[in-house]
Amino acid sequence: MGIVAGLDSSPDFTRIVVCDADTGAVLKQGYAPHPVEGRPSDVDPQAWLLSLGEAAGGGLLEGVQAIGVSSQQNAVVPLDSQGNTVRPALVGGDKRAQVAAADLVDALGGREAWAQAVGCVPQAAQPITKLRWLVKNEPDAAARTAVLLQAHDWLVWQLLGRPVRRTTDRGGASGTGYWSATTGGYRTDLVELALGHQAMLPEVIGPSDAAGTTPEGLLISAGTGETMAAAFGLGIGLGDAVVSLGASGSVMAVHPEALVDNTGMITSLADATGMHLPVVTTLNAVRTLRGTSELLGLPDLESLSELAMKSTPGAHGLVLLPYLEGERTPSLPHTAGTLAGLRRESMKAEHLARAAFEGMLCGLADALDVLRGRGVEVRRVFLLGAAAELAAVQAAAPSIFGAQVVVPQPADYAARGAARQAAWALGVSQGTLDPRNPPAWQGAAAQILEPGEDLAVGQAVRQQFVSVREQTHPGAFRS
């Protein structure tokens, strides 16, 4: 079919992969950091174009027939009526907007009202919350805002030469706070609630649709957010969940329908294929391991893992509830962590190390159970993040999650997903692919870990954790 490219504009850099459109084999790669110091909350979008140009240097895109764009989520680019940026893009988990999030929750009548309206409750990071912050803090900029784009929308629009038509995809739209994955439509009344007036919103096109073609004949696909692109690049489908181990954790799974969760624990996102990606977030994942490592005076997480492996499942009865930053799942924003089961024989460094790993994984298993409790099937769990390579994680995760665990080799899955989307749009435009079925690229190379005979042991560890959680925070998971 040809050669396609996928571009991922993350918070820190641009990564481009050039792939064979039929197989997904990576032929060439490009990389460039954004010319921005640190991770500011305000970024001139031109920085994204500069790093894109650098990453594509040296003729990287020569022979490429189609390109897909993935980009950081939660960035909002406010434009005036002429298409110029009103101010720098508001990006990242902007803590300035925490008060604005609470304002919006109250303005619509509470968390349940938001869950029913758009499948999620406003958080500080979301575009809709940033609009409310803009009104309160920069009213002149808010008043001049006539068009709202996300990062990948803006990049696609720039690549196409800033046409009159502006587009987005349902995956990206589902994270804005003003598009409903349930109805598949915008809630313009919520834009007005946040911004104080209406603004033009990009047209939501289908997963295999093209946003347009450049004058040079390069087809540009719909684009999507990084989460959706990474899921597409991994090749996950029904029965698959993804557990991402960052400082905080997230659990998402593919599901055929949007989930409305009145407790606000589930964020109802759409994916890049026409399905849905319900997501549950925990505030404490790898930060639990780092905190324990520092407490024990260890130099790195590998050392903590080695120490934990000297203990046994259940950590001699030691249980760590890892709510070090408060917790979102369950909703305990003002709580602290708890260490239970202290006995003379359990007061050893290796048992605390083991309890940290088990506590982190049990917290993520709680998040998985939120999805399972809503009918989401979980047969396989893809485990992402550097900590997924640690021996103590791999030893405990399959039995605690109660499922096969897949640890993919590190790769640029968001860029690969963007390239796969480009191949899909190209195939549909040429009449060689079905608009309902994406190209069947080879799956990610990965380690496969089975619970096997350890399943009963892992479930006993999990029950020990649940008992302590219920004693300490009774009814924490009741809606």
Side-chain angles (χ1 to χ4, degrees), residues 41-387:
S41 298
D42 301 303
V43 175
D44 183 345
Q46 293 297 325
W48 307 333
L49 284 183
L50 289 170
S51 66
L52 190 167
E54 189 179 337
L60 185 76
L61 299 180
E62 211 168 289
V64 167
Q65 295 165 272
I67 191 164
V69 177
S70 147
S71 191
Q72 59 182 300
Q73 286 155 242
N74 296 322
V76 61
V77 186
L79 304 178
D80 64 19
S81 54
Q82 279 74 51
N84 301 311
T85 51
V86 167
R87 67 172 321 280
L90 294 132
V91 301
D94 197 338
K95 291 188 175 179
R96 296 176 302 181
Q98 286 175 335
V99 172
D103 283 350
L104 282 175
V105 172
D106 290 343
L108 196 66
R111 298 170 66 86
E112 186 173 336
W114 278 98
Q116 293 287 343
V118 288
C120 61
V121 178
Q123 305 289 332
Q126 282 179 300
I128 194 164
T129 307
K130 288 169 176 162
L131 298 181
R132 172 56 71 100
W133 180 88
L134 199 61
V135 168
K136 298 290 186 186
N137 293 274
E138 299 178 14
D140 290 347
R144 288 190 295 120
T145 297
V147 181
L148 297 173
L149 297 180
Q150 293 181 86
H152 79 267
D153 310 337
W154 188 85
L155 284 165
V156 165
W157 184 57
Q158 295 292 327
L159 289 171
L160 290 171
R162 296 164 60 106
V164 172
R165 182 191 188 215
R166 301 178 183 94
T167 62
T168 190
D169 88 305
R170 54 193 294 280
S174 66
T176 59
Y178 44 80
W179 185 88
S180 168
T182 303
T183 65
Y186 282 117
R187 286 289 301 265
T188 55
D189 58 318
L190 299 182
V191 174
E192 187 164 355
L193 180 70
L195 188 60
H197 61 86
Q198 292 293 343
M200 286 185 64
L201 302 171
E203 177 189 344
V204 181
I205 61 177
S208 63
D209 291 344
T213 306
T214 68
E216 299 76 29
L218 183 67
L219 183 141
I220 311 292
S221 64
T224 195
E226 269 189 322
T227 297
M228 300 80 192
F232 198 40
L234 279 167
I236 67 169
L238 289 173
D240 292 334
V242 176
V243 172
S244 184
L245 299 176
S248 55
S250 68
V251 175
M252 67 178 178
V254 179
H255 198 57
E257 59 191 33
L259 294 179
V260 175
D261 173 44
N262 292 337
T263 69
M265 280 193 289
I266 298 174
T267 297
S268 191
L269 299 178
D271 79 346
T273 72
M275 303 284 274
H276 294 267
L277 279 178
V279 180
V280 180
T281 303
T282 70
L283 295 183
N284 300 277
V286 175
R287 63 166 41 103
T288 304
L289 305 183
R290 294 205 184 282
T292 307
S293 181
E294 289 164 10
L295 178 66
L296 294 174
L298 299 173
D300 50 41
L301 297 187
E302 288 74 16
S303 302
L304 184 71
S305 175
E306 288 173 17
L307 185 61
M309 293 299 285
K310 294 176 181 176
S311 180
T312 52
H316 272 248
L318 212 55
V319 175
L320 177 63
L321 300 184
Y323 306 150
L324 309 184
E325 297 280 325
E327 190 46 83
R328 185 172 166 186
T329 307
S331 182
L332 299 166
H334 307 298
T335 195
T338 301
L339 186 62
L342 283 169
R343 296 181 185 276
R344 180 68 190 86
E345 62 271 19
S346 66
M347 294 177 73
K348 292 182 179 177
E350 61 264 32
H351 301 324
L352 178 56
R354 181 86 189 196
F357 281 97
E358 291 177 347
M360 175 187 76
L361 291 169
C362 285
L364 290 160
D366 278 350
L368 264 176
D369 279 355
V370 170
L371 295 178
R372 283 174 167 139
R374 293 297 307 276
V376 177
E377 185 182 12
V378 178
R379 291 194 305 269
R380 297 191 296 178
V381 174
F382 284 72
L383 202 54
L384 303 186

Side-chain angles (χ1 to χ4, degrees), residues 5-8 15-17 19 68 70 229-230 233 412-420 441:
L7 180 163
D8 177 39
R15 176 83 69 185
I16 300 174
V17 297
C19 301
S70 147
D412 299 301
Y413 291 110
R416 180 177 161 83
R420 190 178 176 207
W441 282 10

